[in-house]
Amino acid sequence: KKFGEATEIPLSNQPVVRAHHVVFVLDESISMTSHWQDLIGAVRSFLNLRLKAGAHDMVSIVLFHTSARTVCEMMPLLECESQLQNLLIQECGATSFGPALIMAQSLLVQGLLQPEYSPLLMFMSDGDAYDGEVGIDRMRTLCSEISQLTAPGCKWEEVGEEPTSGIEISNNALAEALHEKVDFTVEELIKFKVSNLSSDCYIKANRKYFKSSIAELQVKTIAFGSGASHDKLQRLAEPGGGEFLLASDGFQLKQCFRNAAASLVKTHFR
């Protein structure tokens, strides 16, 4: 190779940012009126950070007060960022968690039909929902259903050399499919007659080793301002083993969203 000549990285070794289906569930109750632009700025900072990371996420947004509505569903990241101001038009009311989580559950389930997207739920409220206990039960139901749909074996990552730990499996249909892609639905695994996989299993396919990578639901709840119920929002994060965040003002709200985006900047290899 001549001096100064660029080295071409083989396609199989190129790092790729894991794509996510991000479901924002955002409180639009009347108490958010004076902070609405802060919220738009916080969401935009999340989207821009993911764009800079080279992510190819899909975005869904649920706005809620006493009722809930979906303003975008599985929208490409760049398109969502460009339309954000028009998508986030506030309506006002009281605060109810239940209807919003029902919509979020439906969106997350639909997103899993495209298994290349790992699910993330971002739930933000500045209030104390009158149906807080119902909302917590609804979150338990949501997390239970999603966990059943994100079984071991749905996602695989190339790991190079044979793993020194874990359980090696043998399945010709799965090994053949791994030549083309690394993300599968539960239905596809059933067709391959793959079952009872553990999270530490691996398989050899075309002289390469692939390890199971579970696409578990990530949950982040954010309590914004002094009126938010810290207790209910913290308990809302617990069923999914999620993260509870606090933001007292617009600056901290933006930081919460930026930190959430930064935590997703992890790569795997084609």
Side-chain angles (χ1 to χ4, degrees):
K1 189 180 76 170
K2 296 179 180 179
F3 178 76
E5 185 177 316
T7 300
E8 183 177 347
I9 300 174
L11 182 62
S12 60
N13 292 324
Q14 288 183 350
V16 180
V17 177
R18 172 68 75 185
H20 286 73
H21 175 208
V22 184
V23 179
F24 292 107
V25 183
L26 308 173
D27 189 341
E28 62 170 347
S29 59
I30 191 168
S31 55
M32 280 297 299
T33 302
S34 61
H35 303 289
W36 195 247
Q37 293 305 314
D38 289 331
L39 177 60
I40 294 174
V43 175
R44 191 181 300 281
S45 69
F46 178 104
L47 301 179
N48 282 330
L49 200 58
R50 290 296 287 162
L51 285 168
K52 288 179 182 178
H56 295 280
D57 299 338
M58 290 292 183
V59 181
S60 299
I61 302 176
V62 175
L63 301 181
F64 72 94
H65 45 89
T66 46
S67 60
R69 57 199 176 100
T70 299
V71 297
C72 75
E73 180 174 352
M74 291 292 286
M75 180 178 287
L77 187 64
L78 182 59
E79 183 180 352
C80 183
E81 195 283 331
S82 66
Q83 296 187 29
L84 192 63
Q85 193 74 38
N86 293 327
L87 291 172
L88 298 188
I89 304 297
Q90 185 188 16
E91 293 181 358
C92 297
T95 305
S96 175
F97 291 168
L101 288 168
I102 290 172
M103 284 193 173
Q105 181 174 344
S106 177
L107 290 166
L108 287 164
V109 169
Q110 287 299 310
L112 291 175
L113 296 176
Q114 299 183 54
E116 64 269 30
Y117 299 102
S118 297
L120 167 66
L121 174 61
M122 294 274 296
F123 189 102
M124 188 287 305
S125 177
D126 75 332
D128 186 357
Y130 65 82
D131 68 340
E133 295 302 321
V134 172
I136 292 165
D137 286 340
R138 172 54 58 185
M139 180 65 90
R140 292 192 187 99
T141 301
L142 182 158
C143 291
S144 176
E145 180 175 7
I146 299 303
S147 68
Q148 293 175 28
L149 296 173
T150 54
C154 286
K155 288 185 178 291
W156 296 83
E157 292 192 49
E158 185 181 338
V159 292
E161 298 180 354
E162 181 176 2
T164 57
S165 62
I167 302 169
E168 184 174 11
I169 66 167
S170 177
N171 184 287
N172 291 335
L174 176 59
E176 185 67 26
L178 282 166
H179 295 175
E180 304 296 331
K181 63 178 185 176
V182 294
D183 301 291
F184 303 94
T185 64
V186 173
E187 289 75 16
E188 286 176 309
L189 294 180
I190 293 172
K191 289 180 181 178
F192 299 153
K193 297 183 179 179
V194 177
S195 61
N196 299 321
L197 295 179
S198 63
S199 59
D200 63 346
C201 64
Y202 64 92
I203 187 172
K204 186 176 182 180
N206 193 27
R207 293 181 293 181
K208 300 176 182 178
Y209 285 94
F210 295 82
K211 193 165 185 176
S212 175
S213 175
I214 301 177
E216 294 178 330
L217 170 65
Q218 295 185 60
V219 176
K220 298 179 187 293
T221 63
I222 302 172
F224 177 49
S226 58
S229 173
H230 295 184
D231 175 66
K232 289 177 182 174
L233 286 162
Q234 185 166 15
R235 290 169 61 203
L236 205 63
E238 290 172 359
E243 183 179 10
F244 170 64
L245 304 168
L246 287 170
S248 61
D249 55 28
F251 175 79
Q252 289 186 3
L253 184 65
K254 186 175 182 178
Q255 283 301 115
C256 283
F257 277 79
R258 286 183 60 84
N259 290 343
S263 73
L264 302 179
V265 182
K266 298 177 180 178
T267 61
H268 67 289
F269 290 86
R270 295 185 200 266

